Amino acid sequence: EAMRMKERKLVNEIIVVSCGPTQAMETIRTALAMGADRGIHVEIPLDQMDTFQPLHVSKVLAKLAEKEKVDIVMLGKLAIDDDSNQTAQMTASLLDWPQGVFASKIDKTDAGLEIIREVDGGLETIRTTLPAVLSADLRLNEPRYATLPNIMKAKKKKVVKMTPADLGVDMAPRIQIVSVEDPPVREAGQTVADVDDLVAKLKEKGFSSA
């Protein structure tokens, strides 16, 4: 979406940020090949990734937003591993900026942005001023793929490396994961001959006293 906004002359520069170990550079290079202008790699040692939490990411992004004087911080809706869905909201709170999360369409207006959000009951349209924090819903746009020439050009684009400490971010974990367990195995279903048999089975399982 950021690339499309740039193509429509709505943004001047796209800075892609990734927090993680060395492998995070691959994500940054891919984004640069897709059209981002420069990257920032906030290095997190692999052995600290288990305690690197959404609040830490939000603090890093908030510090970078202030440092780079950006107008829009755009994130994904949630991570595919822990499904926290917290980073965009906490980043907006730390910056005291308006937020447009679960965005399925974004339009620029004279006053700021008009955002269509996907909510449980359908679609909600909101308007925000800038600067703002946005998170992308699945239907915001179709993914695009980097071409080989752009992949080669991306290798020459600037990527700055830094640590959370460089930004003054405390890495102490705020949440302790007590355990992670698989869900209980679901029992196989049973067929019944008639209603009386069904009622008897429900009584046997303690679901009915009638």
Side-chain angles (χ1 to χ4, degrees):
E1 182 64 20
M3 313 306 173
R4 289 176 171 83
M5 293 175 75
K6 186 177 180 182
E7 289 166 357
R8 302 200 310 267
K9 310 298 183 184
L10 299 179
V11 299
N12 296 322
E13 184 183 37
I14 299 170
I15 307 169
V16 61
V17 178
S18 185
C19 304
T22 305
Q23 295 92 314
M25 279 295 295
E26 297 178 16
T27 303
I28 294 173
R29 290 295 178 193
T30 299
L32 293 174
M34 291 169 63
D37 297 293
R38 57 190 174 96
I40 298 175
H41 179 199
V42 181
E43 296 181 288
I44 311 295
L46 188 60
D47 60 359
Q48 293 183 24
M49 286 300 295
D50 286 343
T51 57
F52 188 59
Q53 298 165 354
L55 180 60
H56 301 135
V57 182
S58 298
K59 288 184 174 182
V60 166
L61 294 177
K63 291 287 188 181
L64 287 173
E66 292 173 338
K67 180 180 178 182
E68 297 288 345
K69 296 180 173 57
V70 302
D71 293 313
I72 298 174
V73 176
M74 188 176 295
L75 304 88
K77 179 178 177 180
L78 45 79
I80 60 173
D81 47 7
D82 56 17
D83 280 355
S84 291
N85 183 24
Q86 298 173 353
T87 307
Q89 294 88 332
M90 289 193 292
T91 303
S93 179
L94 290 167
L95 290 167
D96 196 22
W97 289 4
Q99 58 182 282
V101 294
F102 315 154
S104 61
K105 186 178 180 182
I106 303 168
D107 288 316
K108 181 75 172 66
T109 67
D110 292 338
L113 299 173
E114 182 173 283
I115 301 156
I116 297 179
R117 302 179 60 239
E118 299 217 357
V119 296
D120 290 342
L123 299 176
E124 177 185 63
T125 301
I126 64 171
R127 293 187 179 93
T128 72
T129 56
L130 291 174
V133 177
L134 310 177
S135 74
D137 194 81
L138 176 65
R139 279 159 287 279
L140 179 61
N141 52 53
E142 292 292 329
R144 64 171 61 186
Y145 300 95
T147 62
L148 182 58
N150 286 336
I151 292 173
M152 301 306 293
K153 290 177 184 177
K155 295 180 179 180
K156 299 179 181 179
K157 292 184 178 180
K158 183 179 180 181
V159 178
V160 174
K161 293 188 177 185
M162 61 180 65
T163 66
D166 295 332
L167 297 168
V169 174
D170 178 13
M171 287 285 289
R174 302 299 196 277
I175 300 171
Q176 179 184 2
I177 299 176
V178 178
S179 65
V180 178
E181 302 173 4
D182 291 330
V185 178
R186 185 175 179 179
E187 295 183 13
Q190 298 180 17
T191 58
V192 295
D194 50 34
V195 174
D196 291 338
D197 193 9
L198 173 62
V199 172
K201 292 288 186 183
L202 290 174
K203 287 181 178 179
E204 181 183 319
K205 295 291 185 180
F207 296 125
S208 174
S209 58

